[in-house]
Amino acid sequence: MTTEMLTSTINITEDYINENHTFYITNDNYLPSSYISFINFVDFNVVPAISVLGILTNVLTFAILIRPPLNNFSPSVYLAAYCIASALVCSLVTGLGFIFQINDWLDIELRSDSSCKIWSFVKSFLNSSPNWFLTGAAMDRMVAIWCPKRAQSVCSVFMARVFVSLTMVFLTIVTIHEMWSNTIINIHTKVTCQADYHLNMYEYVGLMIRQAVLIFLPSVLLFFLGNFLLLRLCLKHHGRQILNTSTPDLDLTYVVTVHVIITSVLNCPERILQITAFVNNNNLTRFMFQIFYYIGFIAYICLFLVMIVQSRDFREAVVSILRTNTLCCCTKRNSTIELRLMNEYNQVPSASTSVWRLFNKMWFMFAVLAFTSRVLQNTFIPLKW
């Protein structure tokens, strides 16, 4: 492979990763306008809906995972970190990009060279962290169900927090390279923020290794770990019981297994198309990549649904939160009505109200006096017929 070919392939790959949704139409590979219209429809309608659902579901899931009894088990630490990363991806990467797009504002990474470097680092860190946190949860469950004797020392909340912290440090070291490699450049008459490709061969290899570590390695690990977890859970139903597991712990094992498999299925086509782009690059490949890139976002809202189906404690916590909020709203409404009635009863009367009350009192007193005088007259002065 020559240097020119390698440069072009890296351009393609980085263009995918940096989410530049522009199709460069050529005479050889013409893409119909209906395909581009479909991409625009998804950009302006489907992606915002998925982003809002992702933020709400992940925040709610995080709030329940940090409460007892689920916070006493190690998978909750990994899943809570996954929820935070997913919510940040849905809000900062997709949600903020959508807001800038509909208002025709200049993208953050294109405002200055420093914003390009910082925002590229933030996006790479956020986009790669959810899969790595999910990989940690899958490895934790692998040890728990395949090596139950070591689970007490390895699969603890403390070890889970240590792994999450080390993962964040590792991702920071790997992605911080974009702080000095990315810059604002002009490609195909389009200003974009990506790496400057006037580099030597060693820096090309470094870029490829970085992308492999951030994107492909966790996907491969999730694929194999998910299959091994599924195999062990299938053996459980054939007589090989899983030792030293309580009901919430086993429920979280099912949650991790199902979500790992769902994430692998949703992300696998996108990874395959990224590899295919090195060999066969055309506009149809770009279109297909864009479609599967959007499909991969569905994984961010699937954890909440999996937790609802698989975890009884999670369902009870959701019902408790909904019931508490409903009762609070009803109680607040009743308190508001009672307070309003008390204020109406105890409020300071206005001038017109005071005059009317005084008139009523005077009329009542006049009637009492008239009746009293009539009674006295009939008693002491007999009437003459």
Side-chain angles (χ1 to χ4, degrees):
M1 180 181 293
T2 61
T3 305
E4 291 78 7
M5 294 177 61
L6 184 59
T7 304
S8 62
T9 55
I10 295 178
N11 280 333
I12 295 166
T13 306
E14 286 291 328
D15 189 28
Y16 288 157
I17 296 170
N18 288 331
E19 306 168 18
N20 297 321
H21 307 329
T22 301
F23 294 95
Y24 305 122
I25 308 301
T26 61
N27 295 328
D28 298 331
N29 301 312
Y30 177 73
L31 189 67
S33 59
S34 59
Y35 288 12
I36 303 177
S37 300
F38 177 75
I39 290 294
N40 292 331
F41 172 79
V42 174
D43 268 333
F44 285 95
N45 297 276
V46 180
V47 173
I50 295 177
S51 300
V52 173
L53 286 176
I55 295 171
L56 296 178
T57 55
N58 283 289
V59 169
L60 179 59
T61 306
F62 171 77
I64 296 176
L65 287 172
I66 61 176
R67 298 171 57 185
L70 294 178
N71 63 346
N72 297 323
F73 303 95
S74 58
S76 63
V77 178
Y78 299 101
L79 295 179
Y82 176 86
C83 291
I84 295 175
S86 300
L88 290 176
V89 170
C90 293
S91 58
L92 296 181
V93 178
T94 59
L96 195 62
F98 172 75
I99 294 174
F100 275 74
Q101 191 174 6
I102 62 175
N103 291 287
D104 293 329
W105 294 341
L106 187 64
D107 292 338
I108 298 178
E109 62 265 24
L110 302 180
R111 293 177 179 268
S112 64
D113 193 59
S114 58
S115 64
C116 168
K117 298 178 182 298
I118 296 174
W119 191 245
S120 298
F121 162 71
V122 172
K123 285 202 302 183
S124 296
F125 181 87
L126 293 179
N127 285 326
S128 57
S129 56
N131 284 347
W132 273 109
F133 293 144
L134 190 59
T135 303
M139 290 190 294
D140 179 272
R141 294 298 88 193
M142 277 285 296
V143 176
I145 64 177
W146 281 99
C147 304
K149 295 181 180 180
R150 298 183 180 180
Q152 187 174 3
S153 59
V154 177
C155 303
S156 62
V157 175
F158 173 76
M159 293 300 296
R161 292 173 180 173
V162 170
F163 182 88
V164 169
S165 302
L166 293 178
T167 301
M168 295 177 65
V169 173
F170 168 73
L171 293 177
T172 302
I173 295 173
V174 175
T175 57
I176 202 170
H177 178 268
E178 297 193 5
M179 293 280 290
W180 59 80
S181 63
N182 284 20
T183 185
I184 297 178
I185 57 177
N186 193 340
I187 297 180
H188 298 281
T189 67
K190 184 179 187 301
V191 179
T192 182
C193 172
Q194 61 184 48
D196 188 3
Y197 298 108
H198 300 288
L199 307 173
N200 54 37
M201 185 61 66
Y202 297 102
E203 292 176 327
Y204 287 143
V205 174
L207 286 174
M208 300 302 294
I209 293 175
R210 178 172 60 86
Q211 298 304 327
V213 170
L214 292 178
I215 298 175
F216 294 103
L217 181 58
S219 299
V220 173
L221 290 175
L222 287 176
F223 176 79
F224 286 104
L225 291 173
N227 284 278
F228 280 114
L229 289 173
L230 183 62
L231 175 63
R232 182 64 183 89
L233 293 177
C234 291
L235 292 176
K236 170 184 176 293
H237 295 286
H238 289 278
R240 296 187 59 182
Q241 297 297 324
I242 300 175
L243 303 177
N244 301 327
T245 54
S246 58
T247 301
D249 196 18
L250 189 59
D251 289 342
L252 289 176
T253 303
Y254 279 105
V255 168
V256 172
T257 303
V258 174
H259 191 60
V260 165
I261 294 175
I262 292 175
T263 304
S264 299
V265 171
L266 293 177
N267 291 335
C268 185
E270 179 187 354
R271 303 295 180 251
I272 294 175
L273 285 174
Q274 281 182 322
I275 298 174
T276 307
F278 289 97
V279 180
N280 182 19
N281 174 39
N282 51 45
N283 293 317
L284 182 60
T285 304
R286 288 173 175 266
F287 173 76
M288 295 301 297
F289 176 86
Q290 201 66 38
I291 295 299
F292 287 112
Y293 174 79
Y294 291 139
I295 292 176
F297 268 92
I298 301 176
Y300 294 136
I301 63 177
C302 289
L303 179 60
F304 178 79
L305 302 177
V306 175
M307 294 285 291
I308 287 288
V309 174
Q310 295 292 338
S311 178
R312 179 181 178 181
D313 294 318
F314 187 84
R315 290 194 300 269
E316 293 177 353
V318 172
V319 172
S320 176
I321 290 176
L322 294 177
R323 186 178 301 169
T324 303
N325 292 334
T326 304
L327 291 176
C328 288
C329 292
C330 294
T331 306
K332 184 177 180 181
R333 182 180 178 183
N334 294 334
S335 301
T336 304
I337 294 174
E338 293 177 358
L339 182 62
R340 181 166 56 84
L341 293 176
M342 292 177 62
N343 291 334
E344 290 178 357
Y345 181 78
N346 298 322
Q347 64 182 355
V348 179
S350 60
S352 59
T353 305
S354 301
V355 171
W356 177 252
R357 290 180 178 177
L358 180 61
F359 177 78
N360 289 333
K361 291 180 180 180
M362 292 176 64
W363 175 258
F364 178 76
M365 292 175 64
F366 176 78
V368 170
L369 290 175
F371 178 78
T372 304
S373 63
R374 184 65 177 175
V375 170
L376 292 175
Q377 182 180 4
N378 292 334
T379 304
F380 298 99
I381 307 175
L383 292 176
K384 294 181 180 180
W385 297 96

